[in-house]
Amino acid sequence: MELHDVWFVLIAVLWTGYFFLEGFDFGVGVLTKLLARNRAEKRVLINTIGPVWDGNEVWLLTAGGATFAAFPEWYATLFSGFYLPLLVILVCLIVRGVAFEYRVKRPEENWQRNWETAIFWTSLIPAFLWGVAFGNIVHGVEIDRNLEYVGSVWDLLNPYALLGGLVTLTLFTFHGTVFTALKTVGEIRERARTLALRVGLVTAVLALAFLLWTQADSGDAKSLVALVVAVAALVAALMANQAGREGWSFALSGVTIVAAVAMLFLTLFPNVMPSTLNADWSLTVTNASSSAYTLKIMTWLAVIATPVVLLYQGWTYWVFRKRIGTQHLADAAH
């Protein structure tokens, strides 16, 4: 296996880790409107992800940086062609971070309610747009002989990509719902389990349609295995949720995300961005990659830095592992 193949796999792993981790905190952000019945329950939901949401975004920064360094042609075409949706995602992530930090800086109810509304929308919009973006990456876009995107932003809003957006939105919401059931106690925990069943059933229908479309379009035997694993894990997650096994349900919803993202990258390889104009103009792991020397240096850096990141993030989750409820909230508004 060549180094550019290795880095394709590593970038796939980084995006998988990002969607696994950021997926549930996007889902919790959406639940602030769907599940919480009062201000106290919104605070509980936000507190479940408060210690970890910013660490989860490290995976996005790493994935973007790795793409820039390992596949500069892919990075250039992707970020120029998808400029508007990626800008919207970036603005949402900035506002979302500010909302988490500023929500409790003043005691006025309107102030806190407005920031909580911002958390909802800046969780929902990226959850949808990431699916749209990856749907277009896998399905292919208009790339010319100069390896540049020549379509418009409206071309990105095709049926396949929009379905992909609905899948990521519902899947992340389901992931966040089972995480909420895992991290809370009392009535909110029970309602989270009930909502998880409803959201999970919708997710299953949309995900099956999207993955079957992907398989029919560009799949092979390996991607079919990933499809079966994703669907089986989602069904098992629903069963575990109904049995009150929140830990298993969360782990299996994570397996669903891992298998689904793996399927997308399996159908993509050896391309990184297929061209719908001419297959010969597609960006591949070969024509989009950096030099072998650059990839070699990056590999050594990754070997050194990756264990450190995994250790400190794992430690964070261990420290904040206990369940919380409204009874654990401080009396003060902040």
Side-chain angles (χ1 to χ4, degrees):
M1 181 180 288
E2 300 290 337
L3 278 179
H4 51 65
D5 298 330
V6 172
W7 273 97
F8 179 84
V9 174
L10 290 176
I11 288 172
V13 170
L14 290 171
W15 280 111
T16 302
Y18 174 66
F19 287 144
F20 181 97
L21 296 172
E22 189 86 303
F24 72 73
D25 72 48
F26 279 151
V28 171
V30 173
L31 292 179
T32 57
K33 289 287 188 182
L34 300 184
L35 182 64
R37 291 180 175 176
N38 51 51
R39 298 290 317 290
E41 291 188 351
K42 286 184 180 181
R43 289 174 61 194
V44 169
L45 289 175
I46 293 172
N47 286 350
T48 63
I49 59 173
V52 299
W53 68 266
D54 47 356
N56 294 343
E57 292 187 356
V58 170
W59 289 77
L60 172 61
L61 299 175
T62 308
T67 304
F68 171 76
F71 298 100
E73 287 285 354
W74 183 13
Y75 182 92
T77 304
L78 175 64
F79 279 78
S80 60
F82 293 21
Y83 181 83
L84 184 57
L86 292 179
L87 177 63
V88 172
I89 290 174
L90 177 60
V91 171
C92 284
L93 294 180
I94 293 172
V95 173
R96 190 169 182 263
V98 173
F100 281 126
E101 299 297 334
Y102 275 57
R103 180 182 61 88
V104 294
K105 296 302 182 183
R106 288 171 55 178
E108 292 88 350
E109 184 174 347
N110 285 341
W111 172 272
Q112 296 190 8
R113 184 187 299 114
N114 289 338
W115 284 120
E116 288 162 359
T117 300
I119 290 172
F120 168 77
W121 286 110
T122 56
S123 298
L124 184 149
I125 293 172
F128 175 75
L129 288 181
W130 279 128
V132 173
F134 270 83
N136 279 290
I137 291 172
V138 173
H139 194 61
V141 291
E142 297 181 7
I143 298 175
D144 65 10
R145 65 175 67 249
N146 297 317
L147 306 182
E148 295 180 359
Y149 177 68
V150 293
S152 69
V153 66
W154 303 112
D155 294 324
L156 302 178
L157 303 179
N158 56 78
Y160 177 82
L162 291 174
L163 178 58
L166 291 175
V167 170
T168 52
L169 174 58
T170 54
L171 181 55
F172 291 169
T173 303
F174 173 70
H175 197 39
T177 307
V178 295
F179 177 79
T180 299
L182 176 65
K183 287 289 293 178
T184 57
V185 294
E187 184 183 352
I188 192 170
R189 175 189 176 190
E190 298 303 319
R191 281 191 278 112
R193 288 174 53 195
T194 301
L195 182 60
L197 176 62
R198 299 172 184 172
V199 176
L201 291 174
V202 174
T203 303
V205 173
L206 294 174
L208 183 60
F210 179 74
L211 295 179
L212 287 175
W213 190 344
T214 304
Q215 179 67 24
D217 189 41
S218 53
D220 57 14
K222 294 179 181 178
S223 62
L224 180 60
V225 172
L227 186 157
V228 172
V229 171
V231 174
L234 182 55
V235 172
L238 287 169
M239 295 173 63
N241 174 73
Q242 287 301 100
R245 304 296 297 272
E246 291 98 345
W248 279 105
S249 182
F250 177 72
L252 288 164
S253 70
V255 172
T256 303
I257 293 175
V258 171
V261 177
M263 180 185 177
L264 295 183
F265 277 93
L266 285 169
T267 59
L268 188 59
F269 186 81
N271 294 320
V272 292
M273 283 188 75
S275 173
T276 57
L277 300 179
N278 188 324
D280 293 334
W281 298 344
S282 298
L283 289 168
T284 68
V285 293
T286 304
N287 65 17
S289 70
S290 294
S291 67
Y293 183 68
T294 299
L295 296 177
K296 184 177 180 179
I297 294 175
M298 290 176 60
T299 303
W300 281 110
L301 291 174
V303 168
I304 296 170
T306 302
V308 176
V309 174
L310 293 176
L311 283 172
Y312 83 70
Q313 193 161 23
W315 177 79
T316 301
Y317 278 93
W318 174 256
V319 169
F320 295 100
R321 66 189 182 278
K322 292 185 178 180
R323 296 176 182 267
I324 60 173
T326 54
Q327 66 269 32
H328 300 119
L329 298 176
D331 292 334
H334 54 282

